[in-house]
Amino acid sequence: MARAKPAPVRDVLIVGGGIAAHTAALYTARAKMRPLILAGTGMDQLSSTTLVENYPGFPEGIQGPELIQKCKEQAERFGAEYVGEDAESLQGKKGAYEVAAGGTAYRARTVILATGAKARTLGIPGEKEFWGKGVSTCAPCDAPFFKGKVVVVAGGGDSAMEESLTLTKFATKVIIVHRRDAFKASKIMQDRVLGMKDKIEVVWSAQVLEVLGDKFVQGVRVRDASGKERAIPCGGFFLAIGHDPNTRWLAGSGVQLDPQGYIQVQGVTTSLPGVFAAGDAMDPHYRQAVISAGAGCMAALEAERHIERAKAEGSY
Ligand code: NDP
């Protein structure tokens, strides 16, 4: 592979294209750190959702793509520069960090990692087609849209339990379809779910094969352990089969990851000095836009402090 062309050393490089990255960009731009954002070539999670009703400041809700676009424009107004490249590696070199992307070695004294996570999907027919039209991966975001409907949830971990409990507040009935005959979730969450027999039904040892519908979800086709297939009529289908953080590119960088691949942090500080993390790449628990934005702000303030300290110590 051709050696990446080195770029001038900046104060801060932000990797990611979601709300954590844009918030870090806004704060570092206003702090006159001239941030460069490697925003990737893919789509962040908010850009692939529809109406966001739980982000403060928008009483009528806001479309996910519009929220993200506004955050980006706000950062650009203060001078943040965006590059649509995917980061390939991170390395510490001669007092600066180097991030390789699209044939260039982007260099900076501090780096903010905000590459997000991807909700796992099943890859079954109808899943993409009805995305945002009854198929969702976020009950806290979308549950109120399923008022008075029957919904199916796939998964057996804590997320599936939590999403199901959230959905019971709106849906008339929640049907959990789990691929095994026992949940993976913590005992306390299982007990809560299994204690709600009037609202939550469990279909054990079954797989969802297809999402059915017309303009909106109308059902799912499932196969049980005996191989028998049937359609379950429902108005919504929630995937809660886990998330994968977008952190593979950090292999060999020295940034410590947990066994699931999430960036390990103390607050927003990673295992490398001057490298901070924000958003779903370091947060397996909350996965909410407002928390990612908050962490992006924290990472920006820490990056600014890091530079100030380096200046005070004469190592800048
Ligand atoms: P998990 O990886 O814990 O669970 C994923 C679930 O989805 C498992 O039951 C798994 O089945 C199932 N699954 C995975 N792939 C497929 C597939 N292809 N087809 C069908 N089913 C599939 O992910 P979660 O998002 O639930 O949780 C992630 C982490 O976040 C955990 O550590 C969890 O404890 C934590 N969390 C904690 C919460 C809380 O404390 N309130 C709330 C939410 C999450 P199988 O069981 O067979 O492996």
Side-chain angles (χ1 to χ4, degrees):
M1 202 164 71
R3 174 133 170 70
K5 192 168 76 237
V9 179
R10 293 184 172 249
D11 279 348
V12 63
L13 197 57
I14 298 167
V15 189
I19 198 159
H22 296 316
T23 309
L26 171 64
Y27 272 77
T28 51
R30 293 191 80 245
K32 303 263 181 286
M33 292 172 76
R34 296 186 51 247
L36 183 83
I37 300 93
L38 293 173
T41 55
M43 199 186 267
D44 66 287
Q45 292 183 86
L46 273 176
S47 293
S48 67
T49 55
T50 50
L51 190 64
V52 178
E53 285 189 323
N54 55 6
Y55 197 83
F58 302 94
E60 306 303 324
I62 181 166
Q63 292 292 320
E66 191 189 347
L67 175 59
I68 279 295
Q69 187 54 32
K70 279 181 187 288
C71 291
K72 183 177 177 216
E73 280 170 20
Q74 197 173 348
E76 281 175 328
R77 197 184 129 209
F78 294 99
E81 288 171 59
Y82 284 80
V83 174
E85 299 281 5
D86 289 317
E88 291 146 21
S89 64
L90 168 73
Q91 271 186 309
K93 275 202 180 160
K94 293 184 199 146
Y97 289 101
E98 208 174 275
V99 176
T104 301
Y106 294 93
R107 298 187 295 160
R109 293 182 176 88
T110 65
V111 182
I112 296 174
L113 307 171
T115 42
K118 263 192 206 75
R120 288 188 202 133
T121 55
L122 290 168
I124 54 173
E127 196 177 45
K128 265 202 191 129
E129 190 185 341
F130 295 110
W131 191 261
K133 296 172 190 159
V135 176
S136 169
T137 52
C138 183
C141 322
D142 297 335
F145 304 127
F146 295 86
K147 200 160 183 243
K149 293 187 177 179
V150 174
V151 296
V152 167
V153 175
D158 280 327
S159 293
M161 304 300 111
E162 203 167 65
E163 307 246 319
S164 300
L165 292 167
T166 302
L167 284 160
T168 59
K169 295 181 190 129
F170 303 93
T172 48
K173 190 174 178 186
V174 177
I175 302 170
I176 302 177
V177 177
H178 183 39
R179 66 179 175 185
R180 289 191 296 126
D181 61 358
F183 284 142
K184 178 183 178 184
S186 53
K187 176 89 173 63
I188 186 164
M189 297 292 277
Q190 291 194 32
D191 287 351
R192 271 184 212 153
V193 162
L194 297 172
M196 289 193 75
K197 291 201 177 359
D198 56 325
K199 274 268 187 160
I200 303 179
E201 181 189 323
V202 184
V203 178
W204 300 103
S205 307
Q207 269 181 311
V208 180
L209 303 176
E210 186 180 0
V211 184
L212 309 166
D214 179 7
K215 289 197 176 89
F216 210 82
V217 169
Q218 289 176 335
V220 292
R221 190 162 58 86
V222 298
R223 185 196 292 137
D224 67 19
S226 71
K228 223 167 86 191
E229 291 183 20
R230 68 179 165 116
I232 302 178
C234 62
F237 176 50
F238 282 77
L239 290 143
I241 59 171
H243 285 73
D244 293 314
N246 300 319
T247 55
R248 276 213 197 137
W249 67 281
L250 290 169
S253 66
V255 172
Q256 254 165 32
L257 307 178
D258 75 7
Q260 278 73 46
Y262 287 92
I263 299 166
Q264 286 197 323
V265 283
Q266 295 277 354
V268 291
T269 302
T270 73
S271 52
L272 291 181
V275 179
F276 306 96
D280 287 7
M282 58 73 138
D283 170 20
H285 290 291
Y286 298 107
R287 300 190 199 102
Q288 297 303 303
V290 65
I291 292 173
S292 292
C297 163
M298 286 162 70
L301 296 177
E302 290 302 332
E304 191 183 352
R305 279 175 202 153
H306 185 89
I307 296 283
E308 292 306 324
R309 262 198 307 272
K311 280 183 181 162
E313 286 163 6
S315 60
Y316 183 78

